[in-house]
């Protein structure tokens, strides 16, 4: 499940990974990417990784910082970021958060 619109960066990454992921899973299953644009799906684990009965294993593509939302105090996060298991990434990025004591006075 891709919790973003067609043609965006995360959509491109998810489709690229889907093209090759089946070769690395026992049984070499076909991985079919699907965009899911629901209110909770815009990068949210609750919307993009929903289990679908009878459809097999479901993977979700989320924003690289989404797992940190509840840890950073997001009140809209409906998941526990400490329960995630990351299985890969299409790129290598470093996120940095800096705060200065004179900011926003």
């Amino acid at each position: 499940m891709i919790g973003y619109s067609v043609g965006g960066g995360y959509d491109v990454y998810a489709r690229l990974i889907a093209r090759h992921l089946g070769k690395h899973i026992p049984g070499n299953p076909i991985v079919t990417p699907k965009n899911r644009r629901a209110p909770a799906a815009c990068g949210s684990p609750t919307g993009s990784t929903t289990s679908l009965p009878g459809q097999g294993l479901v993977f979700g593509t989320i924003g690289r910082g989404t797992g940190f939302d509840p840890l950073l105090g997001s009140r809209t996060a409906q998941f526990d970021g400490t329960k995630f298991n990351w299985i890969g990434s299409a790129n290598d990025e470093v996120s940095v958060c800096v705060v200065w004591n004179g900011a926003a006075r």
Side-chain angles (χ1 to χ4, degrees):
M1 292 294 175
I2 305 167
Y4 296 90
S5 59
V6 175
Y10 285 108
D11 180 57
V12 172
Y13 286 149
R15 290 177 185 281
L16 175 67
I17 291 168
R19 187 178 284 179
H20 302 282
L21 186 61
K23 295 179 232 175
H24 303 282
I25 298 174
N28 300 329
I30 295 171
V31 177
T32 306
K34 293 182 182 182
N35 295 79
R36 181 166 180 198
R37 295 293 297 169
C42 190
S44 167
T46 58
S48 58
T49 60
T50 304
S51 176
L52 302 174
Q55 298 294 316
L57 181 63
V58 177
F59 290 92
T61 300
I62 61 173
R64 64 184 171 91
T66 303
F68 296 107
D69 287 352
L71 303 174
L72 298 175
S74 173
R75 295 178 186 190
T76 59
Q78 299 176 3
F79 56 91
D80 182 353
T82 64
K83 305 284 185 206
F84 283 7
N85 285 313
W86 300 100
I87 60 170
S89 179
N91 58 2
D92 185 14
E93 297 179 23
V94 177
S95 298
V96 178
C97 178
V98 179
V99 178
W100 179 48
N101 67 355
R105 284 190 180 207

